[in-house]
Amino acid sequence: MYFPWIGFFDLMRLSNAFVHYDDVELTRGLFNRVQVKTPHGTKMLTVPLKKGGRDRLINQSLISYESDWVVKHRSTLLHSYQKKKCLEDCISIFDAVHAQNHTTLNHLTKASIITISKYLGLDENTKFHDSQNLNIIGSSSDRLLKITSNLKGSTYLTGHGALNYLDHDLFEQNGIEVNYINYNFKSYDQVFGAFTPYVTILDAIAHLGTDAKGILQSTKVNWREAVERPEKLRP
């Protein structure tokens, strides 16, 4: 994802191995866009992609630079957070990520994720992996199980979307526990209205700097509890 929301990084904080799963089909969602609060309401920062086949993978999705969207994204952040104490940190991260002219979506999104992880110190206890480099074949739950086993994992932690497709029994039959993240965040005085976690983490960084790590307070729950009460997992 592109400068993801805080929940993405809480998932990372709770893991010691994090897999960039980008050799899979690009579907509709927040892979190339993220919300940011502005004086005129919530706005999407969208990375435009070149037209391609419907079955293209995330790591094959080419970025379009026909418009000056990078400049516009930067301007939006500057305008939205111009009075926040850590604006310079926010913009420095943005500039560092865009210092390289990324050609594919996965390179850009990984750069945004890793740069922020290092800034918050989340990389100290978490090792990053790319699914495309693991050379593991399969699909859906079977492949996720093989990746977890390959990395010597005893627990697979995932987000709520997996409730719709993950074969929990398959993991348990192979001695791997499945956990879901139970989102919980410490709110802060956000600009332009009431607090919402559903915006880019650059929002928290502009307000709090490295202290943004302190708002990450999510926990893990076993998949059975998640299945029984999925509404309790949302922030």
Side-chain angles (χ1 to χ4, degrees):
M1 296 181 178
Y2 177 60
F3 292 116
W5 73 304
I6 56 178
F8 185 96
F9 292 93
D10 228 354
L11 189 68
M12 183 181 299
R13 180 183 63 85
L14 293 168
S15 307
N16 52 28
F18 185 90
V19 181
H20 294 284
Y21 201 54
D22 52 15
D23 57 347
V24 293
E25 185 178 346
L26 176 67
T27 57
R28 291 183 62 86
L30 297 174
F31 296 104
N32 65 318
R33 57 194 182 126
V34 69
Q35 294 187 97
V36 61
K37 294 180 78 175
T38 77
H40 307 291
T42 302
K43 178 179 180 180
M44 281 288 187
L45 301 183
T46 301
V47 178
L49 302 175
K50 294 182 179 180
K51 293 182 179 180
R54 303 176 87 183
D55 298 327
R56 62 184 171 182
L57 306 182
I58 296 174
N59 60 4
Q60 296 173 349
S61 299
L62 300 177
I63 299 172
S64 172
Y65 288 97
E66 292 182 3
S67 66
D68 57 352
W69 60 270
V70 177
V71 174
K72 290 179 179 178
H73 288 190
R74 191 179 194 275
S75 178
T76 297
L77 293 171
L78 280 170
H79 185 58
S80 295
Y81 305 122
Q82 57 184 317
K83 296 182 179 180
K84 306 319 296 180
K85 64 177 182 178
C86 298
L87 170 63
E88 185 176 337
D89 287 9
C90 170
I91 297 301
S92 293
I93 290 171
F94 181 89
D95 289 344
V97 170
H98 285 287
Q100 180 180 346
N101 195 33
H102 303 279
T103 56
T104 58
L105 180 61
N106 70 311
H107 285 161
L108 172 60
T109 54
K110 281 194 290 187
S112 73
I113 291 165
I114 292 174
T115 301
I116 291 173
S117 300
K118 290 180 177 179
Y119 174 81
L120 295 177
L122 296 175
D123 63 321
E124 296 174 3
N125 299 311
T126 303
K127 186 174 182 180
F128 299 101
H129 304 269
D130 289 331
S131 57
Q132 62 184 343
N133 295 332
L134 296 176
N135 297 317
I136 295 175
I137 60 174
S139 61
S140 192
S141 297
D142 177 63
R143 189 179 187 218
L144 294 174
L145 171 65
K146 290 177 180 177
I147 289 174
T148 307
S149 299
N150 179 269
L151 297 177
K152 311 300 181 184
S154 59
T155 302
Y156 175 64
L157 176 64
T158 186
H160 304 169
L163 283 168
N164 299 318
Y165 65 82
L166 196 67
D167 186 343
H168 306 101
D169 292 330
L170 177 64
F171 276 78
E172 289 204 341
Q173 290 165 8
N174 287 272
I176 295 176
E177 180 181 358
V178 176
N179 284 174
Y180 283 84
I181 186 168
N182 183 13
Y183 289 119
N184 182 39
F185 311 114
K186 182 179 179 181
S187 63
Y188 55 94
D189 293 328
Q190 222 171 38
V191 292
F192 313 127
F195 171 76
T196 173
Y198 299 112
V199 293
T200 174
I201 197 170
L202 292 176
D203 183 289
I205 291 173
H207 285 79
L208 305 170
T210 54
D211 289 341
K213 184 177 180 180
I215 69 176
L216 305 178
Q217 299 183 357
S218 300
T219 55
K220 299 178 288 185
V221 298
N222 182 267
W223 69 267
R224 288 183 174 83
E225 182 178 348
V227 169
E228 291 174 1
R229 307 182 71 182
E231 72 282 355
K232 296 294 184 180
L233 304 180
R234 303 186 184 97

